[in-house]
Amino acid sequence: MQRLGGLDAAFLYFETPTMHMHVGGLMLVDPSTMSKPYNFADLHAYIDGRMPLVPAFRRKLVPMPLNLARPYWVEDEDFDLDYHLHRIAVPAPAGDHETADVVAEILSRPMDRSRPLWEMWIVEGRADGLLAVVSKVHHSTIDGITGANMMAELFDLEPDAPARVAVPDDWEPERRPSDLELLGRAVYDVAARPAGVVKLLPSTLLGLGRIINRRRGGAAGMPAPFTAPRTSFNATLTPHRIVSFVNVSLDDVKTVKNAFGAKVNDVVIAIASGALRRYLAARDELPDRSLIASIPVSVHDRTEDKEGTTKVSFMFASLASDVEDPVKRLRLIAETNEGAKKDHDMVGASFLQDWAEHAAPNTFSLAARMYSSMRLSERHPVVHNLIISNVPGPPIPLYFCGARLVDLYPLGPILDGLGLNLTVLSNMDHMGFGFIACRELMPELWDLAHAVPEALGELTKALNGSGAAASAAKKSTAKRTSKKATSGRSDS
């Protein structure tokens, strides 16, 4: 039995009928590389054989009595793969839009908390012959790093990979603790909560004081809270989701990064900013002030001693969407991101986890429901406009039951007042941009996806028109080539 970490549990507390706290993923795989024709029964057996490698897939929640404290994970005594692995056909003739509709429908439904919190759907019937594999995992179970680890266990490096080294499947369901045992643990947690909060206050105040001092000195940093402009997608959610996705060249992104001395994450944010400018301007909604994004930051390497699976922090970033020139926009984003990272480090990598450990479940759950039902997100200044996450993906070919991975699009959660999420993941020579939004707030979400290549094109066009930038790109490319020749390592 394992207790959930503070952030793991927070994703449960804040979930409402319209604000689902699961994350999704769309993987397009090519069954033509399989050693024999695709058969769902073979895929079912393949997933079943990987269960010992992914222990989280057979754990379910044990809530505390009266919901007084964080719940526990326990091995599911009734685990049945058929409740989690599903097969569905997309209406013909099917392409990306029809596939996205099926994905959105799957992600529009909450998860059954009485079972392990994951689902996988195999979507058949695409006109191009590809299979769509849709994953759906609750955020209390997974973050970017743990998701990548799970992916490594479900995929192989070649289509006819030899059998994995046998892992003894000595799994057995656990005895569910009695209500009296759980109540004793809950009472202890409740009693320790005030002391924990008092202990955190000095370090929190010290971190905030350091940030204020940096700002007084004129240093760039995170945008101030409640300064984001309101847009049509900053409103109360419905349960319905809409999905769109698109690929761009990873080489183009890296060329822009190297030419302008930025980071990949800066370029991703600049592309998102350019796409949102086009989307909002076409609807006469482009604000005079810059949009603000919340950026998840993995802190696994700095919080190894903390409980739980989800180990992320967040920082706010300006999209400089009020700047028309794409190069100036990128440079401003890079500058403010550098300052935002310093602000983030001053607060501390474990800030969110530490405070989440002392959250009162009933209070936070009730607050989330009241916030949603009273539509409070539409009555106060906007904290931030959307979530943007950039996750490094596989740089090598991967195979799922022998089917080659072609495209990979992650899809994160959306929140009341924050009805748009963009998650970006690199795969081989391209980057997949996965958009998910509230359907009623952004019914034309494909327009935003289609604006992504145009936004990157603005930057590459500006690069080609700048002699200095082009020269820098050539020098950077030559330097990478030299490194590869001498060390055999690829540039990241």
Side-chain angles (χ1 to χ4, degrees):
M1 193 168 72
Q2 177 183 338
R3 187 168 67 163
L4 274 72
L7 274 181
D8 301 340
F11 286 118
L12 296 170
Y13 306 155
F14 284 110
E15 192 163 47
T16 72
T18 59
M19 194 164 66
H20 314 135
M21 290 291 103
H22 47 251
V23 297
L26 168 62
M27 297 166 283
L28 297 178
V29 299
D30 183 2
S32 70
T33 62
M34 301 174 76
S35 58
K36 59 180 180 177
Y38 161 74
N39 182 287
F40 180 75
D42 292 338
L43 194 147
H44 187 286
Y46 174 85
I47 297 296
D48 191 33
R50 300 298 169 105
M51 285 296 101
L53 302 173
V54 192
F57 278 6
R58 294 196 290 205
R59 298 184 312 199
K60 70 175 183 179
L61 288 170
V62 176
M64 300 294 267
L66 306 177
N67 202 29
L68 289 174
R70 282 179 276 153
Y72 283 79
W73 294 116
V74 65
E75 304 293 335
D76 184 7
E77 70 276 12
D78 298 317
F79 179 78
D80 185 342
L81 182 58
D82 289 337
Y83 281 107
H84 303 274
L85 181 59
H86 309 281
R87 178 187 191 185
I88 191 172
V90 63
D96 287 346
H97 285 238
E98 292 77 14
T99 300
D101 289 343
V102 173
V103 176
E105 177 62 27
I106 291 170
L107 298 181
S108 293
R109 297 191 292 266
M111 306 191 78
D112 180 359
R113 291 196 182 184
S114 69
R115 298 188 180 277
L117 295 177
W118 71 277
E119 299 172 12
M120 184 176 290
W121 296 72
I122 309 303
V123 184
E124 305 167 354
R126 282 178 58 100
D128 57 11
L130 300 180
L131 292 173
V133 181
V134 184
S135 64
K136 178 178 173 183
V137 186
H138 201 277
H139 217 328
S140 59
T141 305
I142 193 174
D143 64 7
I145 297 297
T146 52
N149 293 338
M150 287 182 183
M151 185 176 175
E153 302 297 352
L154 294 176
F155 282 78
D156 293 313
L157 299 179
E158 51 187 320
D160 296 314
R164 296 280 186 101
V165 176
V167 176
D169 194 6
D170 53 0
W171 171 80
E172 292 182 3
E174 292 181 81
R175 177 187 69 85
R176 187 186 188 282
S178 69
D179 287 344
L180 186 60
E181 289 178 87
L182 292 173
L183 182 60
R185 298 185 189 211
V187 169
Y188 176 82
D189 282 352
V190 171
R193 195 172 291 152
V197 171
V198 170
K199 186 178 178 181
L200 285 176
L201 279 173
S203 60
T204 299
L205 293 174
L206 180 61
L208 294 175
R210 288 171 177 168
I211 292 175
I212 292 171
N213 286 336
R214 279 193 75 247
R215 294 303 179 77
R216 284 176 177 170
M222 283 192 270
F226 301 104
T227 59
R230 186 171 296 280
T231 71
S232 56
F233 49 84
N234 298 124
T236 303
L237 302 181
T238 73
H240 311 123
R241 301 294 177 261
I242 186 170
V243 166
S244 67
F245 47 86
V246 70
N247 280 321
V248 298
S249 165
L250 180 57
D251 282 344
D252 286 351
V253 171
K254 287 186 174 181
T255 297
V256 171
K257 174 201 77 149
N258 294 325
F260 294 109
K263 294 181 170 61
V264 168
N265 202 50
D266 301 328
V267 180
V268 166
I269 294 173
I271 292 170
S273 179
L276 281 162
R277 276 180 58 86
R278 287 174 178 269
Y279 176 89
L280 293 169
R283 289 155 181 77
D284 295 323
E285 285 188 58
L286 183 61
D288 295 332
R289 287 178 288 131
S290 175
L291 300 176
I292 295 174
S294 176
I295 312 292
V297 179
S298 174
V299 292
H300 274 260
D301 58 337
R302 288 171 281 174
T303 57
E304 293 178 351
D305 59 328
K306 301 292 180 181
E307 282 185 310
T309 299
T310 307
K311 295 184 177 181
V312 297
S313 186
F314 290 86
M315 71 176 195
F316 294 146
S318 168
L319 270 62
S321 57
D322 54 336
V323 177
E324 184 175 358
D325 182 86
V327 175
K328 290 181 180 178
R329 194 185 314 138
L330 171 59
R331 286 177 171 152
L332 185 58
I333 287 169
E335 179 185 351
T336 56
N337 276 353
E338 193 64 32
K341 289 173 187 174
K342 292 177 181 177
D343 286 351
H344 174 268
D345 291 342
M346 286 180 175
V347 173
S350 64
F351 173 82
L352 275 182
Q353 286 175 280
D354 292 339
W355 279 100
E357 285 181 4
H358 304 293
N362 288 318
T363 301
F364 278 78
S365 294
L366 178 62
R369 281 164 170 74
M370 288 183 61
Y371 187 84
S372 178
S373 62
M374 298 176 67
R375 306 179 72 91
L376 294 180
S377 63
E378 300 169 15
R379 302 184 186 182
H380 60 68
V382 179
V383 180
H384 48 174
N385 300 104
L386 72 156
I387 299 171
I388 301 178
S389 182
N390 177 34
V391 183
I396 55 177
L398 294 179
Y399 297 85
F400 182 75
C401 193
R404 182 175 61 86
L405 176 65
V406 177
D407 289 317
L408 178 57
Y409 306 101
L411 302 161
I414 56 176
L415 313 175
D416 271 317
L418 200 70
L420 174 63
N421 182 302
L422 164 62
T423 306
V424 181
L425 193 147
S426 57
N427 173 33
M428 294 290 288
D429 60 353
H430 55 267
M431 298 189 81
F433 282 62
F435 293 96
I436 184 168
C438 176
R439 188 175 69 196
E440 283 75 10
L441 300 182
M442 299 188 77
E444 298 170 322
L445 190 63
W446 277 104
D447 290 352
L448 183 55
H450 294 154
V452 166
E454 296 174 346
L456 176 56
E458 281 185 332
L459 290 166
T460 55
K461 183 179 178 181
L463 183 153
N464 293 331
S466 168
S471 176
K474 289 179 181 178
K475 289 180 180 178
S476 178
T477 302
K479 186 176 181 181
R480 295 202 312 274
T481 303
S482 175
K483 279 186 178 180
K484 291 178 184 178
T486 56
S487 67
R489 297 177 61 185
S490 61
D491 175 63
S492 58

